[in-house]
Every structure is written in C-alpha cells, then in structure tokens.
Amino acid sequence: MKNNPPKNNPRYANGSLRRKHRARLRAMGCECGICHGRFGPIHYDEPSDAAHPLSFVVDEIRPVSKWRQFGYSSARAAAEDWDNLQAAHYFCNAQKRDKTASFSLDFGAKMTKIPKVTDGSW
Ligand SMILES: [Zn+2]
C-alpha cells in the first residue's frame, strides 16, 4: 500500500475540521454574530457570495491574521478554534473584514438599514 490516508495530510485535515465547524454552525442556525439579527436571520440555504448579502459565512471573531496578538500558536490554531467561530451574514463579515470583536458592538448602531444591492433581487 503506497497511498497515505488523507488524514495524514495537514491541509486536508484543516479543511475537514473547517467543514465540520461550518456544518455545525449551520446546523445550529444561530443569528448573525456581528449584527445580532438586525438584518434578519441568516439565509442558510443561499450560496455565500456578494449576490447574497444575507447568506451564511463562518466569521472568525478574533481575526486569524492577528493570531499572535490573540495568543494563538499559529494562524491555523485561530482558524480551527471553535470558540473563535460564529455564524454571520456574508455582508456583515465583509464589512467587518479584519477588525476586532469590539467592532461588532458598534456595528449595529451605525447601520440603520439593510445594504442596497444593485440587482434588486431582495
Ligand atoms: Zn449580520
């Protein structure tokens, strides 16, 4: 037998765990952790892209890019930490980008209406 089982490939394992977390968040069906439901429930059945601003994405509460700052051993550790993940709208996640968690506290207050979408489908 010359083929290594997939679990020996770190990249595969990483993707697998991320998928598991994503599936778990989806199954929980929580409201958006960034706007806290201000824009309504997450549209879990829609594809996650810019055309569907209320679609579901996995948001990293503490940005993975700042893993050192938050005391993680690696960027991957931050990305795989279940406690660092929350469900969010595609739109809210895009607005947040790499800002820290404190941003989400101000976010709802600043936003007064649902973002405009050029295609007008919603
Ligand atoms: Zn949201």
Side-chain angles (χ1 to χ4, degrees):
M1 294 294 287
K2 62 189 168 76
N3 292 334
N4 292 327
K7 66 181 178 182
N8 286 351
N9 181 329
R11 186 179 293 272
Y12 180 91
N14 181 37
S16 178
L17 184 56
R18 297 265 291 169
R19 276 195 299 279
K20 203 179 286 184
H21 284 338
R22 183 181 166 89
R24 186 172 161 192
L25 283 169
R26 184 189 289 269
M28 288 163 65
C30 295
E31 68 180 13
C32 172
I34 299 174
C35 72
H36 300 287
R38 172 174 278 259
F39 297 142
I42 295 172
H43 295 188
Y44 283 96
D45 56 341
E46 291 180 349
S48 300
D49 58 39
H52 301 88
L54 298 181
S55 59
F56 164 60
V57 297
V58 176
D59 177 50
E60 279 114 14
I61 298 166
R62 294 176 288 273
V64 168
S65 62
K66 297 179 181 171
W67 57 272
R68 284 177 206 277
Q69 185 180 321
F70 293 109
Y72 287 107
S73 58
S74 68
R76 180 177 158 184
E80 292 183 347
D81 178 11
W82 169 253
D83 292 331
N84 192 34
L85 304 177
Q86 64 183 357
H89 291 125
Y90 181 96
F91 168 79
C92 294
N93 179 257
Q95 296 302 304
K96 180 184 164 187
R97 296 180 189 277
D98 66 350
K99 295 188 178 71
T100 55
S102 62
F103 174 74
S104 65
L105 299 176
D106 306 329
F107 183 74
K110 285 177 184 167
M111 300 300 298
T112 55
K113 58 182 178 179
I114 288 179
K116 278 185 183 172
V117 181
T118 50
D119 66 13
S121 65
W122 59 286

Short mmCIF file of all heavy atoms in Angstrom, two decimals, residues 54-115:
data_model
loop_
_atom_site.label_atom_id
_atom_site.label_comp_id
_atom_site.label_asym_id
_atom_site.label_seq_id
_atom_site.Cartn_x
_atom_site.Cartn_y
_atom_site.Cartn_z
N LEU A 54 -27.13 38.27 2.67
CA LEU A 54 -27.59 37.69 3.93
C LEU A 54 -27.27 36.20 4.01
O LEU A 54 -27.75 35.51 4.91
CB LEU A 54 -29.10 37.91 4.11
CG LEU A 54 -29.52 39.39 4.18
CD1 LEU A 54 -31.03 39.51 4.38
CD2 LEU A 54 -28.78 40.14 5.28
N SER A 55 -26.46 35.71 3.10
CA SER A 55 -26.10 34.30 3.12
C SER A 55 -25.13 34.01 4.26
O SER A 55 -24.60 34.92 4.90
CB SER A 55 -25.50 33.88 1.78
OG SER A 55 -24.35 34.66 1.50
N PHE A 56 -24.89 32.74 4.50
CA PHE A 56 -24.14 32.27 5.65
C PHE A 56 -22.64 32.19 5.38
O PHE A 56 -22.21 31.63 4.38
CB PHE A 56 -24.67 30.89 6.04
CG PHE A 56 -23.78 30.09 6.96
CD1 PHE A 56 -23.44 30.58 8.21
CD2 PHE A 56 -23.31 28.86 6.58
CE1 PHE A 56 -22.64 29.84 9.06
CE2 PHE A 56 -22.51 28.10 7.43
CZ PHE A 56 -22.18 28.59 8.67
N VAL A 57 -21.85 32.76 6.27
CA VAL A 57 -20.40 32.55 6.25
C VAL A 57 -19.94 32.27 7.67
O VAL A 57 -20.63 32.61 8.64
CB VAL A 57 -19.62 33.77 5.70
CG1 VAL A 57 -19.98 34.06 4.26
CG2 VAL A 57 -19.84 35.00 6.57
N VAL A 58 -18.79 31.65 7.80
CA VAL A 58 -18.17 31.44 9.11
C VAL A 58 -17.29 32.65 9.39
O VAL A 58 -16.39 32.97 8.62
CB VAL A 58 -17.33 30.16 9.14
CG1 VAL A 58 -16.61 30.02 10.48
CG2 VAL A 58 -18.21 28.94 8.88
N ASP A 59 -17.58 33.33 10.48
CA ASP A 59 -16.82 34.52 10.85
C ASP A 59 -15.84 34.17 11.96
O ASP A 59 -16.21 33.53 12.94
CB ASP A 59 -17.77 35.61 11.33
CG ASP A 59 -17.02 36.86 11.80
OD1 ASP A 59 -16.15 37.33 11.04
OD2 ASP A 59 -17.30 37.34 12.91
N GLU A 60 -14.60 34.58 11.80
CA GLU A 60 -13.62 34.41 12.88
C GLU A 60 -13.69 35.65 13.77
O GLU A 60 -13.39 36.75 13.35
CB GLU A 60 -12.21 34.24 12.31
CG GLU A 60 -11.93 32.82 11.84
CD GLU A 60 -11.74 32.73 10.34
OE1 GLU A 60 -11.55 33.78 9.71
OE2 GLU A 60 -11.79 31.60 9.82
N ILE A 61 -14.10 35.43 15.00
CA ILE A 61 -14.33 36.53 15.94
C ILE A 61 -13.03 37.31 16.16
O ILE A 61 -13.00 38.54 16.08
CB ILE A 61 -14.87 35.98 17.28
CG1 ILE A 61 -16.21 35.29 17.03
CG2 ILE A 61 -15.01 37.10 18.30
CD1 ILE A 61 -16.68 34.43 18.19
N ARG A 62 -11.97 36.57 16.43
CA ARG A 62 -10.64 37.19 16.52
C ARG A 62 -9.94 36.89 15.20
O ARG A 62 -9.73 35.72 14.87
CB ARG A 62 -9.86 36.60 17.71
CG ARG A 62 -10.50 36.95 19.05
CD ARG A 62 -9.78 36.28 20.21
NE ARG A 62 -10.04 34.84 20.26
CZ ARG A 62 -11.06 34.27 20.88
NH1 ARG A 62 -11.95 35.01 21.50
NH2 ARG A 62 -11.22 32.96 20.88
N PRO A 63 -9.61 37.92 14.43
CA PRO A 63 -9.09 37.70 13.07
C PRO A 63 -7.88 36.77 13.06
O PRO A 63 -6.95 36.93 13.84
CB PRO A 63 -8.69 39.10 12.62
CG PRO A 63 -9.50 40.03 13.46
CD PRO A 63 -9.70 39.33 14.78
N VAL A 64 -7.96 35.80 12.16
CA VAL A 64 -6.88 34.82 12.05
C VAL A 64 -5.55 35.51 11.71
O VAL A 64 -4.49 35.08 12.15
CB VAL A 64 -7.26 33.77 10.98
CG1 VAL A 64 -6.06 32.91 10.62
CG2 VAL A 64 -8.39 32.90 11.49
N SER A 65 -5.64 36.60 10.95
CA SER A 65 -4.42 37.31 10.55
C SER A 65 -3.68 37.91 11.75
O SER A 65 -2.51 38.24 11.66
CB SER A 65 -4.76 38.40 9.54
OG SER A 65 -5.63 39.34 10.13
N LYS A 66 -4.39 38.05 12.88
CA LYS A 66 -3.76 38.63 14.07
C LYS A 66 -3.60 37.58 15.16
O LYS A 66 -3.73 37.87 16.35
CB LYS A 66 -4.61 39.80 14.58
CG LYS A 66 -4.67 40.94 13.56
CD LYS A 66 -5.53 42.08 14.04
CE LYS A 66 -5.58 43.17 12.98
NZ LYS A 66 -6.57 44.21 13.30
N TRP A 67 -3.30 36.35 14.73
CA TRP A 67 -3.26 35.23 15.67
C TRP A 67 -2.26 35.45 16.78
O TRP A 67 -2.49 35.07 17.92
CB TRP A 67 -3.00 33.92 14.93
CG TRP A 67 -1.74 33.89 14.12
CD1 TRP A 67 -1.60 34.31 12.82
CD2 TRP A 67 -0.46 33.43 14.53
NE1 TRP A 67 -0.30 34.13 12.41
CE2 TRP A 67 0.42 33.59 13.43
CE3 TRP A 67 0.04 32.89 15.71
CZ2 TRP A 67 1.78 33.24 13.49
CZ3 TRP A 67 1.39 32.54 15.77
CH2 TRP A 67 2.24 32.71 14.66
N ARG A 68 -1.12 36.09 16.48
CA ARG A 68 -0.12 36.32 17.52
C ARG A 68 -0.69 37.20 18.63
O ARG A 68 -0.52 36.94 19.83
CB ARG A 68 1.11 37.02 16.94
CG ARG A 68 2.02 36.13 16.14
CD ARG A 68 3.16 36.96 15.55
NE ARG A 68 3.68 36.34 14.33
CZ ARG A 68 4.58 35.37 14.32
NH1 ARG A 68 5.06 34.91 15.45
NH2 ARG A 68 5.00 34.86 13.19
N GLN A 69 -1.36 38.25 18.20
CA GLN A 69 -1.93 39.22 19.12
C GLN A 69 -2.92 38.58 20.08
O GLN A 69 -3.06 39.00 21.22
CB GLN A 69 -2.63 40.29 18.26
CG GLN A 69 -3.21 41.47 18.99
CD GLN A 69 -3.86 42.43 18.00
OE1 GLN A 69 -3.35 42.66 16.91
NE2 GLN A 69 -5.00 42.97 18.36
N PHE A 70 -3.61 37.54 19.61
CA PHE A 70 -4.63 36.91 20.44
C PHE A 70 -4.13 35.65 21.13
O PHE A 70 -4.91 34.90 21.72
CB PHE A 70 -5.87 36.60 19.59
CG PHE A 70 -6.57 37.84 19.13
CD1 PHE A 70 -6.53 38.23 17.80
CD2 PHE A 70 -7.26 38.65 20.04
CE1 PHE A 70 -7.16 39.38 17.38
CE2 PHE A 70 -7.89 39.80 19.62
CZ PHE A 70 -7.84 40.17 18.29
N GLY A 71 -2.82 35.43 21.04
CA GLY A 71 -2.22 34.36 21.82
C GLY A 71 -2.34 32.96 21.24
O GLY A 71 -2.16 31.98 21.94
N TYR A 72 -2.67 32.86 19.95
CA TYR A 72 -2.71 31.55 19.33
C TYR A 72 -1.31 31.10 18.96
O TYR A 72 -0.41 31.92 18.73
CB TYR A 72 -3.59 31.58 18.07
CG TYR A 72 -5.06 31.67 18.38
CD1 TYR A 72 -5.75 32.86 18.18
CD2 TYR A 72 -5.75 30.57 18.86
CE1 TYR A 72 -7.10 32.96 18.46
CE2 TYR A 72 -7.10 30.65 19.15
CZ TYR A 72 -7.78 31.84 18.95
OH TYR A 72 -9.10 31.92 19.22
N SER A 73 -1.15 29.77 18.85
CA SER A 73 0.16 29.24 18.50
C SER A 73 0.43 29.35 17.00
O SER A 73 1.56 29.28 16.55
CB SER A 73 0.26 27.77 18.94
OG SER A 73 -0.77 27.01 18.33
N SER A 74 -0.63 29.53 16.22
CA SER A 74 -0.47 29.66 14.77
C SER A 74 -1.76 30.23 14.19
O SER A 74 -2.80 30.26 14.86
CB SER A 74 -0.18 28.30 14.14
OG SER A 74 -1.33 27.47 14.24
N ALA A 75 -1.69 30.67 12.94
CA ALA A 75 -2.89 31.16 12.26
C ALA A 75 -3.92 30.03 12.15
O ALA A 75 -5.12 30.24 12.30
CB ALA A 75 -2.53 31.69 10.88
N ARG A 76 -3.39 28.84 11.92
CA ARG A 76 -4.29 27.69 11.78
C ARG A 76 -5.03 27.42 13.09
O ARG A 76 -6.22 27.07 13.09
CB ARG A 76 -3.48 26.47 11.35
CG ARG A 76 -4.34 25.25 11.19
CD ARG A 76 -3.55 24.06 10.70
NE ARG A 76 -4.23 22.83 11.04
CZ ARG A 76 -3.75 21.63 10.81
NH1 ARG A 76 -2.57 21.49 10.24
NH2 ARG A 76 -4.43 20.57 11.14
N ALA A 77 -4.33 27.56 14.20
CA ALA A 77 -4.96 27.33 15.51
C ALA A 77 -6.13 28.30 15.70
O ALA A 77 -7.18 27.92 16.23
CB ALA A 77 -3.94 27.49 16.63
N ALA A 78 -5.95 29.53 15.26
CA ALA A 78 -7.02 30.52 15.38
C ALA A 78 -8.20 30.14 14.50
O ALA A 78 -9.36 30.28 14.88
CB ALA A 78 -6.49 31.90 15.00
N ALA A 79 -7.89 29.66 13.30
CA ALA A 79 -8.94 29.31 12.34
C ALA A 79 -9.70 28.06 12.75
O ALA A 79 -10.83 27.85 12.34
CB ALA A 79 -8.33 29.11 10.95
N GLU A 80 -9.06 27.22 13.57
CA GLU A 80 -9.69 25.96 13.95
C GLU A 80 -10.30 25.99 15.34
O GLU A 80 -10.88 25.01 15.79
CB GLU A 80 -8.65 24.82 13.89
CG GLU A 80 -8.21 24.51 12.48
CD GLU A 80 -7.25 23.33 12.42
OE1 GLU A 80 -6.75 22.93 13.49
OE2 GLU A 80 -7.03 22.83 11.32
N ASP A 81 -10.17 27.11 16.02
CA ASP A 81 -10.71 27.21 17.37
C ASP A 81 -12.22 27.43 17.32
O ASP A 81 -12.69 28.48 16.90
CB ASP A 81 -10.02 28.39 18.09
CG ASP A 81 -10.57 28.59 19.50
OD1 ASP A 81 -11.31 27.70 19.99
OD2 ASP A 81 -10.27 29.63 20.10
N TRP A 82 -12.95 26.43 17.77
CA TRP A 82 -14.41 26.52 17.71
C TRP A 82 -14.92 27.76 18.43
O TRP A 82 -15.86 28.42 17.98
CB TRP A 82 -15.02 25.24 18.31
CG TRP A 82 -16.50 25.33 18.52
CD1 TRP A 82 -17.16 25.46 19.71
CD2 TRP A 82 -17.51 25.36 17.50
NE1 TRP A 82 -18.51 25.55 19.49
CE2 TRP A 82 -18.75 25.48 18.16
CE3 TRP A 82 -17.48 25.27 16.10
CZ2 TRP A 82 -19.95 25.53 17.46
CZ3 TRP A 82 -18.69 25.33 15.40
CH2 TRP A 82 -19.90 25.46 16.08
N ASP A 83 -14.30 28.11 19.53
CA ASP A 83 -14.74 29.26 20.31
C ASP A 83 -14.47 30.59 19.60
O ASP A 83 -14.94 31.63 20.03
CB ASP A 83 -14.04 29.29 21.67
CG ASP A 83 -14.50 28.13 22.56
OD1 ASP A 83 -15.64 27.69 22.40
OD2 ASP A 83 -13.71 27.69 23.40
N ASN A 84 -13.69 30.52 18.53
CA ASN A 84 -13.38 31.74 17.78
C ASN A 84 -14.29 31.90 16.56
O ASN A 84 -14.14 32.84 15.79
CB ASN A 84 -11.91 31.71 17.33
CG ASN A 84 -11.44 33.04 16.80
OD1 ASN A 84 -11.87 34.08 17.29
ND2 ASN A 84 -10.59 33.02 15.80
N LEU A 85 -15.22 30.97 16.41
CA LEU A 85 -16.05 31.00 15.20
C LEU A 85 -17.49 31.33 15.53
O LEU A 85 -18.01 30.95 16.58
CB LEU A 85 -15.98 29.63 14.51
CG LEU A 85 -14.58 29.14 14.16
CD1 LEU A 85 -14.67 27.75 13.55
CD2 LEU A 85 -13.89 30.10 13.21
N GLN A 86 -18.12 32.04 14.63
CA GLN A 86 -19.54 32.31 14.78
C GLN A 86 -20.16 32.39 13.38
O GLN A 86 -19.48 32.67 12.40
CB GLN A 86 -19.79 33.61 15.54
CG GLN A 86 -19.26 34.85 14.82
CD GLN A 86 -19.44 36.12 15.64
OE1 GLN A 86 -20.02 36.10 16.73
NE2 GLN A 86 -18.96 37.24 15.11
N ALA A 87 -21.46 32.16 13.32
CA ALA A 87 -22.17 32.33 12.06
C ALA A 87 -22.39 33.81 11.81
O ALA A 87 -22.59 34.59 12.74
CB ALA A 87 -23.52 31.60 12.13
N ALA A 88 -22.31 34.21 10.55
CA ALA A 88 -22.52 35.61 10.22
C ALA A 88 -23.10 35.73 8.81
O ALA A 88 -23.01 34.81 8.01
CB ALA A 88 -21.21 36.38 10.31
N HIS A 89 -23.70 36.90 8.56
CA HIS A 89 -24.11 37.24 7.19
C HIS A 89 -22.87 37.48 6.34
O HIS A 89 -21.88 38.02 6.83
CB HIS A 89 -24.93 38.54 7.19
CG HIS A 89 -26.27 38.42 7.82
ND1 HIS A 89 -26.67 39.25 8.84
CD2 HIS A 89 -27.32 37.60 7.56
CE1 HIS A 89 -27.92 38.95 9.18
NE2 HIS A 89 -28.33 37.95 8.43
N TYR A 90 -22.99 37.16 5.09
CA TYR A 90 -21.91 37.48 4.16
C TYR A 90 -21.60 38.97 4.20
O TYR A 90 -20.45 39.39 4.29
CB TYR A 90 -22.31 37.07 2.74
CG TYR A 90 -21.24 37.34 1.72
CD1 TYR A 90 -20.36 36.34 1.34
CD2 TYR A 90 -21.11 38.60 1.13
CE1 TYR A 90 -19.36 36.58 0.41
CE2 TYR A 90 -20.12 38.86 0.21
CZ TYR A 90 -19.25 37.85 -0.15
OH TYR A 90 -18.27 38.11 -1.06
N PHE A 91 -22.66 39.77 4.19
CA PHE A 91 -22.49 41.22 4.18
C PHE A 91 -21.77 41.72 5.43
O PHE A 91 -20.83 42.51 5.36
CB PHE A 91 -23.86 41.90 4.07
CG PHE A 91 -23.81 43.38 4.33
CD1 PHE A 91 -23.38 44.26 3.35
CD2 PHE A 91 -24.19 43.90 5.57
CE1 PHE A 91 -23.31 45.63 3.59
CE2 PHE A 91 -24.13 45.27 5.81
CZ PHE A 91 -23.69 46.12 4.83
N CYS A 92 -22.22 41.24 6.59
CA CYS A 92 -21.63 41.71 7.85
C CYS A 92 -20.16 41.31 7.93
O CYS A 92 -19.32 42.09 8.37
CB CYS A 92 -22.41 41.13 9.02
SG CYS A 92 -24.11 41.74 9.09
N ASN A 93 -19.87 40.10 7.51
CA ASN A 93 -18.49 39.62 7.54
C ASN A 93 -17.61 40.46 6.63
O ASN A 93 -16.48 40.80 6.97
CB ASN A 93 -18.46 38.15 7.12
CG ASN A 93 -17.06 37.58 7.10
OD1 ASN A 93 -16.48 37.44 6.04
ND2 ASN A 93 -16.52 37.28 8.24
N ALA A 94 -18.15 40.84 5.48
CA ALA A 94 -17.38 41.66 4.54
C ALA A 94 -17.13 43.05 5.11
O ALA A 94 -16.06 43.64 4.89
CB ALA A 94 -18.12 41.75 3.21
N GLN A 95 -18.08 43.57 5.86
CA GLN A 95 -17.91 44.89 6.47
C GLN A 95 -16.89 44.84 7.60
O GLN A 95 -16.11 45.78 7.80
CB GLN A 95 -19.25 45.38 7.04
CG GLN A 95 -20.31 45.62 6.00
CD GLN A 95 -19.89 46.62 4.95
OE1 GLN A 95 -19.53 47.73 5.28
NE2 GLN A 95 -19.92 46.20 3.70
N LYS A 96 -16.92 43.75 8.32
CA LYS A 96 -16.04 43.63 9.47
C LYS A 96 -14.58 43.47 9.04
O LYS A 96 -13.68 44.03 9.64
CB LYS A 96 -16.47 42.41 10.30
CG LYS A 96 -15.63 42.18 11.53
CD LYS A 96 -16.08 40.89 12.22
CE LYS A 96 -15.02 40.43 13.21
NZ LYS A 96 -15.33 39.13 13.77
N ARG A 97 -14.38 42.69 7.99
CA ARG A 97 -13.04 42.38 7.48
C ARG A 97 -12.12 41.96 8.62
O ARG A 97 -12.44 41.03 9.35
CB ARG A 97 -12.47 43.58 6.71
CG ARG A 97 -13.30 43.86 5.47
CD ARG A 97 -12.75 45.03 4.68
NE ARG A 97 -13.68 45.40 3.62
CZ ARG A 97 -13.75 44.81 2.46
NH1 ARG A 97 -12.95 43.80 2.18
NH2 ARG A 97 -14.62 45.19 1.55
N ASP A 98 -11.03 42.63 8.83
CA ASP A 98 -10.10 42.14 9.84
C ASP A 98 -10.15 42.95 11.14
O ASP A 98 -9.23 42.95 11.92
CB ASP A 98 -8.68 42.09 9.28
CG ASP A 98 -8.15 43.48 8.97
OD1 ASP A 98 -8.94 44.43 9.01
OD2 ASP A 98 -6.95 43.61 8.69
N LYS A 99 -11.23 43.66 11.34
CA LYS A 99 -11.35 44.41 12.59
C LYS A 99 -11.62 43.45 13.75
O LYS A 99 -12.07 42.34 13.57
CB LYS A 99 -12.48 45.43 12.48
CG LYS A 99 -12.19 46.51 11.45
CD LYS A 99 -13.23 47.60 11.52
CE LYS A 99 -12.91 48.71 10.52
NZ LYS A 99 -13.14 48.29 9.14
N THR A 100 -11.38 43.91 14.94
CA THR A 100 -11.51 43.03 16.10
C THR A 100 -12.96 42.96 16.58
O THR A 100 -13.84 43.66 16.08
CB THR A 100 -10.63 43.55 17.25
OG1 THR A 100 -10.97 44.90 17.51
CG2 THR A 100 -9.17 43.45 16.88
N ALA A 101 -13.17 42.13 17.56
CA ALA A 101 -14.52 41.85 18.03
C ALA A 101 -15.24 43.10 18.52
O ALA A 101 -16.46 43.19 18.43
CB ALA A 101 -14.47 40.80 19.14
N SER A 102 -14.49 44.07 19.03
CA SER A 102 -15.14 45.26 19.56
C SER A 102 -15.91 46.00 18.47
O SER A 102 -16.87 46.70 18.73
CB SER A 102 -14.11 46.21 20.17
OG SER A 102 -13.20 46.65 19.18
N PHE A 103 -15.49 45.78 17.24
CA PHE A 103 -16.16 46.42 16.12
C PHE A 103 -17.63 46.02 16.07
O PHE A 103 -18.49 46.82 15.75
CB PHE A 103 -15.47 46.04 14.81
CG PHE A 103 -16.17 46.54 13.59
CD1 PHE A 103 -16.12 47.88 13.25
CD2 PHE A 103 -16.90 45.69 12.79
CE1 PHE A 103 -16.77 48.35 12.13
CE2 PHE A 103 -17.55 46.15 11.66
CZ PHE A 103 -17.48 47.48 11.33
N SER A 104 -17.91 44.77 16.37
CA SER A 104 -19.28 44.29 16.25
C SER A 104 -20.22 45.00 17.22
O SER A 104 -21.41 45.10 16.99
CB SER A 104 -19.34 42.78 16.46
OG SER A 104 -18.97 42.46 17.78
N LEU A 105 -19.67 45.49 18.32
CA LEU A 105 -20.51 46.19 19.29
C LEU A 105 -21.00 47.52 18.72
O LEU A 105 -22.11 47.94 18.97
CB LEU A 105 -19.71 46.45 20.58
CG LEU A 105 -19.23 45.19 21.29
CD1 LEU A 105 -18.38 45.56 22.50
CD2 LEU A 105 -20.42 44.33 21.73
N ASP A 106 -20.15 48.17 17.96
CA ASP A 106 -20.54 49.45 17.36
C ASP A 106 -21.31 49.28 16.06
O ASP A 106 -22.04 50.15 15.64
CB ASP A 106 -19.28 50.28 17.03
CG ASP A 106 -18.40 50.45 18.24
OD1 ASP A 106 -18.95 50.48 19.34
OD2 ASP A 106 -17.18 50.54 18.06
N PHE A 107 -21.12 48.16 15.48
CA PHE A 107 -21.60 47.94 14.13
C PHE A 107 -23.11 48.16 13.99
O PHE A 107 -23.57 48.91 13.14
CB PHE A 107 -21.23 46.53 13.68
CG PHE A 107 -21.63 46.22 12.28
CD1 PHE A 107 -20.92 46.75 11.22
CD2 PHE A 107 -22.70 45.40 12.03
CE1 PHE A 107 -21.27 46.46 9.93
CE2 PHE A 107 -23.06 45.10 10.73
CZ PHE A 107 -22.34 45.63 9.68
N GLY A 108 -23.87 47.52 14.88
CA GLY A 108 -25.32 47.60 14.78
C GLY A 108 -25.83 49.02 14.90
O GLY A 108 -26.76 49.42 14.20
N ALA A 109 -25.20 49.81 15.74
CA ALA A 109 -25.65 51.17 15.96
C ALA A 109 -25.44 52.05 14.74
O ALA A 109 -26.22 52.95 14.46
CB ALA A 109 -24.93 51.76 17.17
N LYS A 110 -24.37 51.79 14.03
CA LYS A 110 -24.05 52.61 12.87
C LYS A 110 -24.91 52.29 11.66
O LYS A 110 -25.18 53.13 10.83
CB LYS A 110 -22.57 52.45 12.50
CG LYS A 110 -21.64 53.16 13.45
CD LYS A 110 -20.19 52.91 13.09
CE LYS A 110 -19.27 53.55 14.12
NZ LYS A 110 -17.90 53.09 13.99
N MET A 111 -25.32 51.04 11.58
CA MET A 111 -26.10 50.62 10.42
C MET A 111 -27.58 50.87 10.69
O MET A 111 -28.12 50.41 11.67
CB MET A 111 -25.88 49.13 10.14
CG MET A 111 -24.43 48.78 9.85
SD MET A 111 -23.77 49.63 8.41
CE MET A 111 -24.85 49.00 7.15
N THR A 112 -28.21 51.62 9.82
CA THR A 112 -29.61 51.94 10.04
C THR A 112 -30.54 51.25 9.07
O THR A 112 -31.75 51.25 9.23
CB THR A 112 -29.84 53.46 9.93
OG1 THR A 112 -29.36 53.90 8.66
CG2 THR A 112 -29.10 54.20 11.03
N LYS A 113 -30.00 50.70 8.01
CA LYS A 113 -30.86 50.00 7.06
C LYS A 113 -30.08 48.90 6.35
O LYS A 113 -28.85 48.90 6.33
CB LYS A 113 -31.42 50.97 6.04
CG LYS A 113 -30.36 51.71 5.26
CD LYS A 113 -30.99 52.69 4.31
CE LYS A 113 -29.91 53.47 3.55
NZ LYS A 113 -30.47 54.42 2.60
N ILE A 114 -30.81 48.01 5.78
CA ILE A 114 -30.21 46.91 5.05
C ILE A 114 -29.47 47.47 3.84
O ILE A 114 -29.96 48.39 3.18
CB ILE A 114 -31.28 45.89 4.62
CG1 ILE A 114 -31.76 45.13 5.86
CG2 ILE A 114 -30.77 44.93 3.56
CD1 ILE A 114 -32.84 44.12 5.59
N PRO A 115 -28.29 46.97 3.57
CA PRO A 115 -27.49 47.50 2.46
C PRO A 115 -28.20 47.35 1.12
O PRO A 115 -28.95 46.43 0.89
CB PRO A 115 -26.25 46.60 2.49
CG PRO A 115 -26.68 45.37 3.23
CD PRO A 115 -27.66 45.84 4.24
#
